[in-house]
Structure formats: C-alpha cells, structure tokens
Amino acid sequence: MRVRVENVRFHYRLGEPVLKGVTLDFEGEATAIIGQNGAGKSTLVRLINGLLKPVSGEVRVGDWNTGDFSVARLARRVGLVFQNPNDQVFKSVVRDEVMFGPKNLGMSGDTALASSREALADVGLEGAMDANPYDLSLAERKLVSIASVVAMNTDVVIFDEPTIAQDYAGVQRIGTLIEKLKARGKLIIAITHDMDFVAEIFPRAVVLRRGEVIIDGSTREVFSRPDLLRDSFVEPPHATQLGQALGLSETVLSVDEAVKGIKGHRSRLGGLAGSDTAHDQQFFQ
Amino acid sequence: MRTISLYVEKESFIHGLDPVTKLWLTASLLIIPFIVGNIESTLVCLGINLALLSVARVIRRIFSILAMSLVLIITLFIIQGMFYGGNRTEAFALGSLVFYREGLRYATLLTLRFFNIISASMVLILTTRPSDLIESLVRRGLSPRIGYVLASVLQIIPMMISNTSTIMDAQRSRGMETEGRLVTRMKAYLPLMAPLVMSSLVATQERAMALEVRAFGARNPKTFLHEEIISRHALPIRVLTSLGLVAAVIWRVIL
Amino acid sequence: MKPEVMVQDLSYRYDDGEEKALDGVSFEVYPGEFLGVVGPNKAGKSTLCQALVGLVPHFFHGNMDGRVVAGGIDTRETTVDELSKTVGLVFQNPFTQVTGAKLTVYEEIAFGLENIGLPRDEITRRVDEMIALFGLEHVRHHNPFELSGGQMQRMAIASIMALRPRIVALDEPTSQLDPQGSAEVFQAVAALRNQGLTVIMAEQKVEKIARYADRVLLMHKGKVAACDRPEVVFSRDNLLDLGIRPPAYTSVARELDLRRPDGTLPVTLDDAVALLRNSSVNS
Ligand SMILES: Nc1ncnc2c1ncn2[C@@H]1O[C@H](COP(=O)(O)OP(=O)(O)OP(=O)(O)O)[C@@H](O)[C@H]1O
Ligand SMILES: Nc1ncnc2c1ncn2[C@@H]1O[C@H](COP(=O)(O)OP(=O)(O)OP(=O)(O)O)[C@@H](O)[C@H]1O
Ligand SMILES: [Mg+2]
Ligand SMILES: [Mg+2]
C-alpha cells in the first residue's frame, strides 16, 4: 500500500500553522520520522490515519482520499499506535483491549483471538492476557497498545514513539516485531527520538522542523548531515557520532560498522604509511 | 485547555475590587430582597445589580442568560396565574383558561427574584477569576486543601472532557464507528465511563504524591505569590452593604 | 566526608506485590555527587526514588525494612512535606505532576515556594531563575496543561529545583525530550550541582549517564548489582544479562580491545576518541 501526503497544511488554531505544506510519499520502505519536540510529527501521523483532516492539500492511503472516509473505515488500512498509551488503552482486560480492533474490522472470533495472541507474544506479554491494563507498568501498557494495533493486521502500521519507557530488552523486542512486519510487506512509519533505534531498523528517515520537511532520504544520508540535524535538535546515533569525531570517511550507523570502519581506516592509512608512527598520529584528526 | 469560568477580562471599577468585597456585595444584594420580602426591594436591588453590570461593561452577557430562561418564566406565569393557592381576583381569561391577579403578582415577584439572583451572582462571576476568589478565601482561613480541590476541579473537569474525545479517537482508530447517527454516538460514549474513571483515579494518586513532595501539607503559614490589592472603594462598599443589610433586617422586624 | 544520603539494607514490598520491589539495597551518596541509577524495567528504580523522599513508606502502605537517611534526616521519623525542604523528587510522568490548580507556568513553579512560606520577593527571584535555567521564557504565561510533553517535563524539574533541595532524585526526567532537549536538562542539572546539589537520577540513556554521573548504581530485581564509577560498571561483561546495554562507545572499544590505563573501557565519546587517537600512535 502507498501513502501519499501532498502539500498538506494544518493548524489547530488559526494563525499558528503546525504543518506548512508537507509532501511525502511512502511506499515499501520503513520510514522513521524524527525532529524536535513540537515539530508536528504526531500531527502528521494523525492526518494519515484520518483523525485530523488537512486544512489544504490531501492525504491518500492507497486510492482512498482520507477526506472521503471516516476514521473507522480508514482503520481497515491504517493502524496507529498513539504516543501516550494512557490515551489509547480503554478496556479493563488486556484480552478485550487487543481484540477490540480485530473484531471491529470484522475478523471472526477465532481469527481475532489468534491474531491477538500472536501480537501479544510478539511484545512478550503472552502471559498478561487476563491482566487489567491499569495494573501494568507504563512500559507494559505501551506494549499492550502496540499489540492492539498490530493485531489488526492492517497494510499500514504507524508507531508514535514505540520505545517510550522501554528498557533494552523492550526496545529489542519492538525492533524484532517491526522487522517481522516489514518482512510481511507492511508499510511501516515510526516516530522516535531514539536515533540508535532509527539507524538499526529504518532504511529511510524524514526530518521535520517546525512543520516542514527539511531532509528526506536514506538514513545514512540523513545522519551524514550533522549541521542540518543540529538545527532540528536531533543528534546522530552514538556510533555515528564516534565515526564523525574520528573523521571516518564513511558514515557508520552501528557499533559493528564503527568497529569495521575504524579497523579499515587504520589498515588503509597504516598500509599507506607503513608503521611510521609520525604519520599514524594523523589517523584520526 | 480552558478552565470552567465565565470571567470576562475587562478594565473596570468592579473588576478592580477584591473578590471578598464583591462576594459581600453580591451576597447582600441577593439576600436583602428575601429579608424584606416585597417587589419594590427586589426591583431596587435588581436595578443596582444591573447598574453594576453595566459599569463593568458585561451587561450584554446577562441578557443572553435571561433570554435562555424565557421558557421557564412563561411557564411560571401560566402555572402561578392559574393555580396559585391565593388566587381570588380574576385578571383576564383566555377562553376557558382563567388567570388571577394574585398568581400573576406572585409570578412577577418570583421572576424578579430570579433575575436578581442571576444578576447579583453575575456581578461576582463575570468580573472575578475563580482562582482569585478561591485564593482570597484561603487568605481568610479557608483550608488550602479545600481551596485546592475547588481550583483543580475547575481545570480537571475540562480535562476529563477532552479525555473523552481522546478515548473516542482511540476507538475510531481501531475501526469503531463513532460518527453518524445519535445511536451510534451513544453506543460509543457509554463504554467510556469506566476507563475515564480508571485513568482519573490513577492520575489522582500520582498527583497526590506530587503535591506532597512540593510541601503541600506543610503546616507553616503559606505565602501568596500575588499581593492582595484592596481598592480604596472596598471599605465604603462593605460599610454600605452592611448598612443595607441591617436596614433590611430592621424593616423586617419592625414592619 | 559525611555521606549526604545513606541507604542501609533497604527492603520494600508493596501491599499487593508478590516480590520485593527493593531487596537489601545499601549505598551512600556524598555531597555534590551525581549518582546515576540504571537497570531494566521493574528493577526498582522508581521505588528507590520514592523511598528517598519518604513516599515509601509514608504514602504507600507496604512493608519497609532498613533505613534511609537523607540530609541527616531519617525518612521514617519525619513527614514527606518536612522532608521536601531537603530532598526533591521529579516523577517519571510529567503530566500527573501538574497541580491543576495554577493557571500559568510561572504560578505552577511558585506553588511549592508558596507552600513553604518564603517571602514574596524571594519566590519571584527563584522562579525567574528557574525559568531562565530550563528555557521556559516563551511559555512563562502559558497554561501548564497546554505545554508539549518536553516543556512539561522541564517545568516539572524547575518546580522541584526552585525549592532548592540539598538532594534531588530525578526519575527518568528526559524520557519525552528530543536529543537536544535532554542534553540541556543534563547540563542544567550539572550547573546546579556546582552549587552543591546532590543528584540521584534514574535513566535509560546510558551514554548520558556515563558522561554526567560520578558513579552508577546498577539495579536488578530490586538488588544492587553494582555501584561504582561509570567506566567500572559499564566495563562489566555481563551487562546484557542484567538487562542493560553498555554505551555504544564502550561496545566499540571492547571490540577493538581498547582499554584505559586502569584496565576499564572508555564510556564517553571524548574518552573513546582520545584513546583511539593514542592507540593509533602506539599500534
Ligand atoms: N490538540 C492540540 N491543540 C492545540 N495545539 C496542539 C494540539 N496538539 C498539538 N498541538 C501543537 O502543535 C504543535 C505540533 O505538535 P505535535 O504533537 O504534532 O508535535 P510532535 O512533533 O509530535 O512533538 P513531540 O516530539 O513532543 O511528541 C505543537 O506546537 C503543539 O503545541
Ligand atoms: N504502586 C505499586 N503497587 C504495587 N507494586 C508496584 C507499584 N509500583 C511498582 N511496583 C512493583 O515494584 C517493582 C519495582 O517497580 P519500579 O516501578 O520501582 O521499577 P522501575 O525500575 O522504576 O521500572 P521502570 O523502568 O518500568 O520504570 C515492580 O515489580 C513493580 O511491579
Ligand atoms: Mg508527538
Ligand atoms: Mg520507573
């Protein structure tokens, strides 16, 4: 499924534009949306799932213009995980919460249950089926809200800050889940402030600044522009920062790449300069 | 986010009075007609209230409120005019429906009282920020806890209402039809009550802790961030209203 | 030096808890020190923070053993509002920290100061100072509920810091901030530390903790798994088993077998870069 955002403008209050003519085309690739607090990221994804309608311009999900469909209809194509799980979770049993979407979309009881079981297992909460979401911790409630949307099995899945409150294992689990959805051909869009996570999972990144797209490209390209990123209150992943501080010629995105890059750099320069330590001093300047 | 308040921000002599003086004024003008008991005193108080409202340049607001109560007032005239217990003298008849003087007079009194109550309260409500009123009362010994509850309710209720729409957004986003016919909308609203209460309770407990660590329970005297400004008109007004009250009581006892 | 915070064999079980949230926790924090607290979800970080200000055991009615002494006060022998003059706590969720009774950011930050009865001019001075320090100038007159998540989080920190506690516990205070915003909060806290503040901060952002903390307390299932300088704690090779990952710089250094003179791995960017530059000289 393809999602197209065409020259979309939006404001909540007249005279305070939040999106100032955004054009984006999503197809196939998993995309991360990054940018400073208040840049308009959550607003953008609420426009894609139809909760908000553009003031001008249009949003198309496949061949549907969001303006022509109710949010409930659009939910057949787009699933959105809210930023704050407390805004999303409203049933008093996890099982009901996760099955709510699948049932509304018309899945049979058995299919809905199977789909919900799988989604809960994917976030590591298979044991929490009968728990009350309000007895769970914030981190777990976020996982329930993710499972509730994934269980709907929509073609487009959007995550608004999926890793909030998660520890390392939680972040890994969410990463694995997104990889699995990618492999199934889902269109994935995610908002996050965790740049290590972006580098690990998303081939494409879009940087939003005060309602405008300022960079849109492969994650590697985007993170090679520390100057532009700084203006957007974003910093590259930690491994990338290390590479840049050392002046590696390629932008590295992970610990492994950084290690390879440094080894390569050493042997390349080392090879050229032999073992002359005077030259070696200039390896990393 | 708005708080529940009808306060109209304007510059005026009435706006400049401190909340307690206004409370005093409102209460007296509201009670005096009841103590005295006749139509004339009600008319006088109503006149004063309307004058105060126009000085404060908020009188237009009250017309819309009074207009909204028109149906209520007409009903009052019909019922009292026909069925008031003291009805003796026929005033006029519409076909077989007979209206009596005593009933119509009583309905007039009730209507004027009603107008007076509304306009007296509006003198206070339209010209005073609720938070200022609460703070003034806390300064004069109202328990800060009660003051906090009053002030926070004014903000937290609108927040709960916005929570309702958030939860409906959550439901719509997962395929539940909440738009369209009334029945559909009602069906969407009902299941909201439980989660609303739940999330409010969780938030309340956490908020209570957050208040504790900001010394809310401290027993020392509190400071008030804003200095209370008592205008020079406050004293004469309080004296006048007190005299009015005393006069009303004397009138009641002697006559 | 006398410790500013002393936690001795602290155990705690919530009323409805099956296991102990804290289990024999002991450590000390010295005046002006920054102690980072790391650990996976449910390790007990929030419970520990709440114990430092006396909410555990005064607010929750669970079972507490052991002792917490903060700024010379035994938390069990005093009340939370008395303690709040010495120890501050910034909670994990900024939203529920808004009092709901104040109409502007300015008044919200002043709330605690009114409660402790400071003179009015002192209140205005402190509030202005906090607004500047936490970059809240342009929202000073906004309604506290109309802020973005990040601004709300800054306001929550400012509200506590305005009370000038000797000790402050911060529970994941930058979870909703963009990278620049969270860097600013760490810098602001560091600035206050120079005035003698003792800081205890729970955080998932290990790179930031490695850079700013003097020591790191690693928690796991309610117990202290380690408490030492960042380079010592993050150089341990069983970190993943304890539910946290080392800073990225540390992982790179481990792969390259790049160690500091004392045998630990570098944990900050500057440290890693310096070591790499040196190593290329010696290799
Ligand atoms: N319901 C609303 N009413 C009015 N203004 C709003 C509303 N929601 C968001 N805004 C404003 O719109 C702007 C964009 O908000 P949005 O939530 O899209 O930001 P974001 O990029 O998701 O930020 P964050 O990283 O903090 O989640 C902000 O300035 C915010 O204050
Ligand atoms: N109010 C409570 N009532 C009962 N049990 C609780 C309560 N709060 C926490 N617990 C339990 O205490 C243990 C420690 O929780 P705590 O919140 O201190 O962990 P944490 O390290 O802060 O986790 P997180 O990273 O998710 O914030 C957990 O097992 C948790 O379920
Ligand atoms: Mg957002
Ligand atoms: Mg916690």
Side-chain angles (χ1 to χ4, degrees):
Chain A
M1 180 116 356
R2 181 173 179 193
V3 170
R4 275 181 302 160
V5 177
E6 275 161 32
N7 199 19
V8 163
R9 290 169 190 279
F10 184 83
H11 61 241
Y12 292 96
R13 267 169 292 192
L14 203 64
E16 296 176 24
V18 171
L19 295 180
K20 306 169 185 165
V22 170
T23 300
L24 286 166
D25 196 340
F26 302 96
E27 196 174 15
E29 258 171 336
T31 306
I33 299 178
I34 57 185
Q36 85 189 88
N37 290 127
K41 305 180 296 295
S42 299
T43 305
L44 175 64
V45 297
R46 285 201 289 263
L47 281 154
I48 297 177
N49 98 321
L51 277 173
L52 301 174
K53 310 288 181 194
V55 170
S56 71
E58 60 178 39
V59 179
R60 298 189 154 271
V61 179
D63 53 351
W64 292 0
N65 183 330
T66 58
D68 303 334
F69 291 84
S70 72
V71 182
R73 277 298 294 285
L74 282 163
R76 288 163 199 283
R77 293 190 169 177
V78 184
L80 169 65
V81 180
F82 289 12
Q83 181 167 352
N84 181 355
N86 297 355
D87 287 346
Q88 189 187 321
V89 172
F90 59 91
K91 291 278 187 188
S92 52
V93 183
V94 169
R95 175 198 308 270
D96 296 345
E97 181 69 35
V98 183
M99 286 179 65
F100 180 84
K103 278 188 170 162
N104 277 320
L105 297 192
M107 285 189 205
S108 73
D110 287 347
T111 326
L113 186 62
S115 179
S116 304
R117 278 233 167 85
E118 185 184 344
L120 275 174
D122 285 339
V123 297
L125 283 180
E126 57 273 54
M129 269 282 206
D130 299 310
N132 182 331
Y134 285 95
D135 290 338
L136 301 178
S137 70
L138 183 67
E140 289 166 321
R141 229 174 296 150
K142 182 80 197 189
L143 294 172
V144 169
S145 74
I146 290 176
S148 309
V149 169
V150 168
M152 287 159 65
N153 196 23
T154 51
D155 286 339
V156 183
V157 189
I158 306 177
F159 299 87
D160 198 344
E161 303 203 16
T163 59
I164 259 184
Q166 303 299 320
D167 57 11
Y168 176 64
V171 175
Q172 291 300 104
R173 214 176 273 126
I174 294 168
T176 311
L177 171 60
I178 293 180
E179 293 291 0
K180 175 171 160 184
L181 296 175
K182 284 204 291 200
R184 285 192 186 165
K186 307 281 185 201
L187 177 62
I188 307 286
I189 302 171
I191 296 172
T192 180
H193 291 301
D194 181 344
M195 301 305 147
D196 294 2
F197 187 66
V198 175
E200 190 183 334
I201 310 285
F202 299 90
R204 174 181 169 202
V206 172
V207 183
L208 224 55
R209 181 180 64 193
R210 287 186 224 108
E212 287 169 312
V213 174
I214 60 159
I215 329 179
D216 174 2
S218 81
T219 302
R220 199 175 301 276
E221 273 161 41
V222 169
F223 287 135
S224 336
R225 306 288 305 275
D227 46 329
L228 270 181
L229 293 178
R230 206 168 308 119
D231 283 356
S232 321
F233 286 62
V234 168
E235 52 188 38
H238 297 103
T240 314
Q241 290 181 39
L242 180 60
Q244 285 162 353
L246 291 171
L248 296 186
S249 48
E250 305 271 301
T251 298
V252 297
L253 291 181
S254 65
V255 167
D256 288 348
E257 287 184 11
V259 171
K260 278 205 200 85
I262 293 168
K263 282 183 177 160
H265 194 87
R266 271 179 173 168
S267 63
R268 206 162 47 246
L269 288 193
L272 279 176
S275 56
D276 185 341
T277 48
H279 278 87
D280 284 2
Q281 252 170 331
Q282 283 154 23
F283 274 8
F284 298 115
Q285 294 297 321
Chain B
M1 254 293 309
R2 288 172 45 97
T3 64
I4 301 179
S5 153
L6 294 173
Y7 173 70
V8 184
E9 190 151 358
K10 288 249 167 77
E11 290 280 323
S12 83
F13 157 69
I14 308 288
H15 282 77
L17 283 177
D18 63 290
V20 170
T21 304
K22 275 188 272 188
L23 188 62
W24 199 223
L25 188 66
T26 290
S28 314
L29 288 169
L30 203 146
I31 295 171
I32 287 175
F34 285 94
I35 300 179
V36 178
N38 60 12
I39 288 191
E40 292 77 4
S41 62
T42 317
L43 268 174
V44 170
C45 288
L46 179 59
I48 298 176
N49 279 323
L50 293 178
L52 292 174
L53 286 167
S54 48
V55 168
R57 295 186 292 141
V58 291
I59 190 133
R60 282 161 155 241
R61 308 271 166 155
I62 183 143
F63 291 146
S64 56
I65 298 174
L66 295 183
M68 279 192 300
S69 49
L70 212 61
V71 178
L72 182 86
I73 289 161
I74 293 173
T75 325
L76 193 74
F77 270 90
I78 294 176
I79 293 184
Q80 298 295 348
M82 300 196 312
F83 308 116
Y84 177 58
N87 276 349
R88 300 281 179 278
T89 332
E90 183 176 328
F92 60 90
L94 294 174
S96 58
L97 305 176
V98 185
F99 288 80
Y100 296 87
R101 282 205 169 180
E102 292 79 2
L104 292 176
R105 194 182 154 76
Y106 186 59
T108 312
L109 178 65
L110 288 185
T111 304
L112 286 175
R113 274 188 185 164
F114 173 72
F115 280 1
N116 186 54
I117 291 174
I118 298 284
S119 51
S121 332
M122 285 301 143
V123 170
L124 178 70
I125 292 170
L126 293 176
T127 68
T128 316
R129 267 199 202 90
S131 54
D132 291 347
L133 175 60
I134 294 166
E135 187 166 305
S136 289
L137 293 175
V138 173
R139 280 178 211 266
R140 281 166 186 75
L142 178 73
S143 131
R145 285 193 185 267
I146 295 176
Y148 171 78
V149 169
L150 292 175
S152 62
V153 158
L154 292 175
Q155 287 224 53
I156 286 173
I157 288 176
M159 207 161 66
M160 279 183 71
I161 294 170
S162 77
N163 277 351
T164 323
S165 61
T166 320
I167 294 178
M168 285 185 49
D169 281 350
Q171 297 178 326
R172 295 196 283 160
S173 299
R174 282 191 279 148
M176 178 164 170
E177 205 53 79
T178 58
E179 291 150 62
R181 289 181 308 133
L182 186 65
V183 183
T184 325
R185 288 208 303 267
M186 288 311 294
K187 270 214 305 242
Y189 258 113
L190 286 179
L192 288 184
M193 296 333 286
L196 266 187
V197 172
M198 283 282 210
S199 60
S200 310
L201 283 180
V202 173
T204 308
Q205 197 202 24
E206 290 184 14
R207 191 160 280 127
M209 286 198 283
L211 290 177
E212 287 301 312
V213 301
R214 284 162 78 188
F216 185 56
R219 269 175 292 275
N220 52 288
K222 290 187 196 310
T223 315
F224 294 92
L225 179 60
H226 304 291
E227 205 164 347
E228 187 169 45
I229 299 163
I230 310 262
S231 91
R232 62 198 160 83
H233 307 293
L235 190 65
I237 288 177
R238 288 192 200 181
V239 170
L240 274 179
T241 49
S242 313
L243 286 179
L245 268 178
V246 171
V249 171
I250 293 175
W251 165 281
R252 180 61 183 256
V253 172
I254 294 180
L255 300 171
Chain C
M1 206 177 351
K2 251 188 82 186
E4 184 78 335
V5 176
M6 220 162 38
V7 176
Q8 288 173 345
D9 204 21
L10 174 65
S11 294
Y12 188 75
R13 187 202 300 271
Y14 286 96
D15 259 354
D16 46 357
E18 287 139 39
E19 283 164 46
K20 288 182 180 170
L22 295 175
D23 191 356
V25 172
S26 300
F27 64 92
E28 286 168 357
V29 196
Y30 292 90
E33 205 182 10
F34 184 141
L35 180 76
V37 181
V38 299
N41 293 142
K42 302 201 168 193
K45 304 182 294 296
S46 297
T47 309
L48 177 63
C49 289
Q50 285 162 8
L52 294 175
V53 293
L55 285 169
V56 163
H58 293 302
F59 192 89
F60 295 101
H61 303 286
N63 233 321
M64 171 166 149
D65 286 316
R67 222 158 70 99
V68 178
V69 182
I73 309 168
D74 187 326
T75 59
R76 209 197 276 274
E77 282 157 16
T78 182
T79 60
V80 175
D81 41 70
E82 201 46 48
L83 258 173
S84 68
K85 292 170 194 164
T86 311
V87 198
L89 169 62
V90 179
F91 292 83
Q92 203 164 359
N93 185 350
F95 194 72
T96 49
Q97 286 175 76
V98 180
T99 59
K102 297 292 180 181
L103 296 177
T104 65
V105 169
Y106 191 92
E107 293 174 357
E108 178 74 25
I109 298 175
F111 178 81
L113 305 180
E114 294 179 296
N115 288 337
I116 58 173
L118 283 185
R120 195 172 290 131
D121 53 345
E122 176 69 13
I123 295 185
T124 38
R125 193 165 42 240
R126 286 202 198 174
V127 175
D128 284 332
E129 186 191 335
M130 287 302 129
I131 283 186
L133 187 60
F134 290 97
L136 291 164
E137 283 96 349
H138 54 295
V139 291
R140 146 198 296 260
H141 299 299
H142 285 206
N143 184 304
F145 283 117
E146 280 178 336
L147 301 181
S148 84
Q151 289 160 337
M152 223 183 250
Q153 217 155 21
R154 287 175 213 219
M155 178 181 73
I157 304 171
S159 304
I160 295 301
M161 293 303 188
L163 287 161
R164 297 230 180 117
R166 284 168 56 180
I167 305 159
V168 68
L170 302 123
D171 194 357
E172 303 194 25
T174 68
S175 58
Q176 317 237 352
L177 298 186
D178 55 49
Q180 181 68 37
S182 80
E184 281 170 20
V185 164
F186 274 92
Q187 282 152 17
V189 169
L192 290 169
R193 217 159 60 93
N194 292 336
Q195 301 169 15
L197 178 74
T198 303
V199 179
I200 294 144
M201 186 192 289
E203 227 345 307
Q204 297 285 355
K205 294 177 176 152
V206 284
E207 282 84 4
K208 285 278 187 306
I209 287 295
R211 165 144 181 224
Y212 287 94
D214 299 311
R215 281 188 304 143
V216 176
L217 180 75
L218 170 55
M219 296 195 65
H220 186 71
K221 295 195 169 155
K223 294 194 169 74
V224 175
C227 185
D228 213 322
R229 286 177 296 125
E231 53 279 14
V232 176
V233 172
F234 292 128
S235 293
R236 291 171 64 124
D237 43 20
N238 63 341
L239 276 186
L240 288 180
D241 300 336
L242 295 171
I244 69 157
R245 69 168 173 84
Y249 316 121
T250 314
S251 304
V252 171
R254 181 182 292 278
E255 289 297 315
L256 295 172
D257 199 23
L258 198 67
R259 292 192 179 259
R260 296 154 39 101
D262 64 359
T264 59
L265 295 163
V267 293
T268 64
L269 178 61
D270 292 349
D271 221 6
V273 169
L275 271 176
L276 275 161
R277 290 215 171 111
N278 274 335
S279 78
S280 60
V281 176
N282 305 328
S283 67

